[in-house]
Amino acid sequence: MSSIGTGYDLSVTTFSPDGRVFQIEYAAKAVDNSGTVVGIKCKDGIVIGVEKLIASKMMLPGSNRRIHSVHRHSGMGVAGLAADGRQIVARAKSEAHNYESTYGEPIPIKELAERVASYVHLCTLYWWLRPFGSGVILGGYDRDGPQLYMVEPSGVSYRYFGAAIGKGRQSAKTEIEKLKLSEMTCRQGVIEVAKIIYGVHDEAKDKTFELEMSWVCDESNRQHQKVPEALLEEAKAAAKSALEEMDAD
Amino acid sequence: MDRDATADVNAPHSMGTTIIGVTYNGGVILGADSRTSTGLYVANRASDKITQLTDNVYICRSGSAADSQIVSDYVRYFLHQHTIQLGQPATVKVAANLVRLLSYNNKNMLQTGIIVGGWDKYEGGKIYGIPLGGTILEQPFAIGGSGSSYLYGFFDQAWKEGMTKDEAEQLVVKAVSLAIARDGASGGVVRTVTINNEGVTRNFYPGDQLPLWHEEVEAHNSLLDILNASSPEPMST
């Protein structure tokens, strides 16, 4: 559903006659064209996975991380312009830190999501700022349990059971909907997310990719951390064999 | 004795005070005396030192009356905004942290010891003691004010974990009345506030109904009552 907003798309402070702000929609396109980011809420925690498209074989594996820890109890997977995403993460870290300094407890995930969304939205209000060209999937585990939020470049933020952004989001969302998330543990969730990301990766169009995953769950002591090496390998193996099965049909 | 000091009515209001906060199985009980003095003059003999911050968090104030009031006003304001933003009641821990940030950052100008007590759905009943310098300490029970000096040994002996509501209330009333007996800057009535998952209950124990301790004099009716009586009878001891 792309349209050109001739004349009304030059500034983020201009509405089109049909009530759209085109600059924000164009910012969303930057996210849509980037590698897929998937997040799911299992019964005991959150799993985030990223299809990290590798630009050059010279890059060190494990560098250019797309998932960042915001606080002990939360993390963000970033899609879209990497530098923009870095700023959003920096702001989230700062908000989380300030909240804890003032109120003496870790920031509730709902509050964190609201503050991040508010900041992203702020940058769509002034002509001398451009909107962020990245969206984030924020997952965390606080005293109200595990929660998953997604923040779009428009500043909109919703809470989800499962969310996907980036190139393969349509098929990823279809796959997520098939999962019975409320009965799944994060251990199983890691395998499923790996399968989804391998599944949506388009071999023909895109270069190779690296799978990056993180979780925050009871097993990780409610801390946000990279999925342990062993489990990650297991997930990759399961995903690859699932692909081969599909191809074999 | 220095005659001027006895009637220095322009001295700053200070709550000599005995304040107590105690956790029990299901909530907390806050207790306090009711004497506010300016020098040696009792400015208010029935003051309420237990102040509300939110529906579920109250504080006991001691030290300078003005300082403790202004701190509680600020924290009430911050907590109100925080509650709106959060969309649910603030926790006792957050309330206590806001109090200690003010106490600590303004330690050169303030002279107030505060006990924060309340109930929230995550941690249940909690007591936080925030003495003069702005330390914060979560405790199963806390005591403060000038009268508390006389209660350390008492609590060592009488305190136990997991009391019922009535046991805890009796403990608080007994402790405040013991302190009133020995501390000249504490007196008047005993007020208690009980906070649990069901809500908040205020109680009041008039001075003449408090237990008497060693060598204390019993309460008398006012001598003026004799004048109003039909046939005046001599006072009985």
Side-chain angles (χ1 to χ4, degrees):
Chain A
M1 192 185 59
S2 64
S3 51
I4 321 173
T6 323
Y8 301 110
D9 61 347
L10 297 175
S11 163
V12 79
T13 55
T14 308
F15 276 95
S16 74
D18 52 349
R20 295 154 73 172
V21 183
F22 280 101
Q23 278 296 309
I24 297 180
E25 295 188 19
Y26 296 162
K29 289 217 179 46
V31 179
D32 292 344
N33 292 335
S34 93
T36 316
V37 177
V38 166
I40 56 171
K41 175 171 108 88
C42 307
K43 69 178 180 197
D44 64 337
I46 305 283
V47 179
I48 301 178
V50 176
E51 173 204 11
K52 194 166 68 176
L53 299 168
I54 302 178
S56 144
K57 287 204 171 66
M58 303 293 271
M59 280 191 192
L60 211 58
S63 67
N64 283 82
R65 290 194 59 78
R66 298 272 297 279
I67 305 181
H68 303 90
S69 278
V70 168
H71 199 57
R72 286 183 298 278
H73 63 3
S74 53
M76 265 182 184
V78 167
L81 302 179
D84 286 15
R86 200 167 52 229
Q87 283 306 102
I88 298 181
V89 172
R91 179 73 183 205
K93 286 180 180 172
S94 164
E95 292 283 1
H97 179 81
N98 281 337
Y99 184 96
E100 184 150 8
S101 298
T102 308
Y103 297 105
E105 57 172 23
I107 185 169
I109 308 301
K110 174 170 177 272
E111 182 69 22
L112 177 62
E114 270 170 30
R115 292 196 183 193
V116 170
S118 186
Y119 179 62
V120 169
H121 176 241
L122 183 89
C123 300
T124 66
L125 294 172
Y126 302 102
W127 61 265
W128 37 267
L129 278 179
R130 69 165 172 77
F132 280 104
S134 44
V136 303
I137 292 189
L138 164 66
Y141 200 147
D142 65 18
R143 63 190 181 193
D144 292 314
Q147 290 154 69
L148 183 71
Y149 289 88
M150 178 165 84
V151 184
E152 299 169 21
S154 57
V156 145
S157 154
Y158 288 119
R159 192 170 158 188
Y160 292 92
F161 295 107
I165 44 180
K167 281 197 176 90
R169 70 188 176 288
Q170 302 284 36
S171 35
K173 279 190 226 173
T174 321
E175 289 305 310
I176 294 173
E177 278 168 30
K178 293 181 192 163
L179 300 173
K180 283 215 168 73
L181 291 171
S182 53
E183 293 163 17
M184 205 184 279
T185 63
C186 275
R187 232 166 213 270
Q188 299 162 316
V190 167
I191 313 280
E192 295 302 329
V193 168
K195 284 188 195 163
I196 293 175
I197 292 194
Y198 270 81
V200 305
H201 178 68
D202 192 337
E203 281 296 338
K205 284 201 197 137
D206 294 319
K207 314 143 227 183
T208 45
F209 79 103
E210 192 187 318
L211 175 66
E212 199 180 310
M213 291 188 66
S214 76
W215 67 357
V216 52
C217 55
D218 291 335
E219 208 181 308
S220 76
N221 241 323
R222 303 194 184 185
Q223 312 273 47
H224 180 254
Q225 47 183 230
K226 289 199 316 199
V227 165
E229 197 64 44
L231 184 57
L232 190 59
E233 290 309 314
E234 192 189 318
K236 284 186 190 170
K240 284 184 193 143
S241 63
L243 264 185
E244 273 153 35
E245 263 179 45
M246 261 170 38
D247 288 343
D249 289 339
Chain B
M1 178 117 117
D2 185 15
R3 283 287 152 200
D4 291 339
T6 50
D8 183 10
V9 297
N10 295 320
H13 282 48
S14 161
M15 297 176 301
T17 303
T18 306
I19 50 173
I20 299 179
V22 142
T23 56
Y24 72 90
N25 181 19
V28 299
I29 304 199
L30 300 176
D33 74 309
S34 68
R35 179 170 290 182
T36 305
S37 36
T38 52
L40 291 176
Y41 172 69
V42 177
N44 186 350
R45 60 183 166 94
S47 45
D48 183 6
K49 302 181 186 180
I50 308 178
T51 303
Q52 183 182 24
L53 292 186
T54 68
D55 287 342
N56 56 320
V57 179
Y58 280 66
I59 59 168
C60 296
R61 301 179 289 112
S62 75
S64 154
D67 288 354
S68 64
Q69 282 174 11
I70 208 81
V71 166
S72 80
D73 286 348
Y74 269 116
V75 175
R76 189 180 305 119
Y77 167 64
F78 294 142
L79 279 176
H80 184 225
Q81 294 192 317
H82 179 67
T83 304
I84 291 173
Q85 189 144 22
L86 218 57
Q88 56 186 30
T91 58
V92 190
K93 190 183 206 178
V94 164
N97 207 52
L98 290 172
V99 171
R100 73 101 174 194
L101 283 177
L102 282 171
S103 280
Y104 177 77
N105 289 324
N106 298 292
K107 61 161 77 192
N108 292 329
M109 291 183 283
L110 294 175
Q111 207 178 70
T112 168
I114 290 173
I115 295 178
V116 179
W119 184 94
D120 61 60
K121 71 182 187 203
Y122 298 106
E123 299 281 341
K126 285 287 181 193
I127 293 284
Y128 292 84
I130 302 162
L132 242 42
T135 337
I136 180 171
L137 190 57
E138 199 246 298
Q139 303 165 289
F141 70 89
I143 54 179
S146 57
S148 68
S149 317
Y150 309 103
L151 296 177
Y152 284 95
F154 171 70
F155 270 89
D156 281 345
Q157 194 239 16
W159 163 261
K160 47 190 199 336
E161 192 74 42
M163 291 182 282
T164 67
K165 178 157 75 104
D166 293 328
E167 281 177 335
E169 179 112 6
Q170 291 316 308
L171 180 69
V172 167
V173 174
K174 185 173 179 186
V176 179
S177 64
L178 279 168
I180 286 176
R182 288 291 180 180
D183 179 30
S186 300
V189 307
V190 177
R191 297 189 196 273
T192 65
V193 171
T194 307
I195 313 173
N196 52 33
N197 65 324
E198 289 162 17
V200 176
T201 315
R202 269 193 177 272
N203 272 320
F204 169 79
Y205 300 85
D208 57 355
Q209 284 175 22
L210 294 177
L212 288 178
W213 307 108
H214 187 57
E215 285 180 9
E216 268 194 79
V217 179
E218 278 183 34
H220 288 284
N221 289 331
S222 164
L223 292 174
L224 291 173
D225 288 346
I226 292 179
L227 299 174
N228 291 333
S230 47
S231 61
E233 288 190 5
M235 196 171 71
S236 58
T237 20

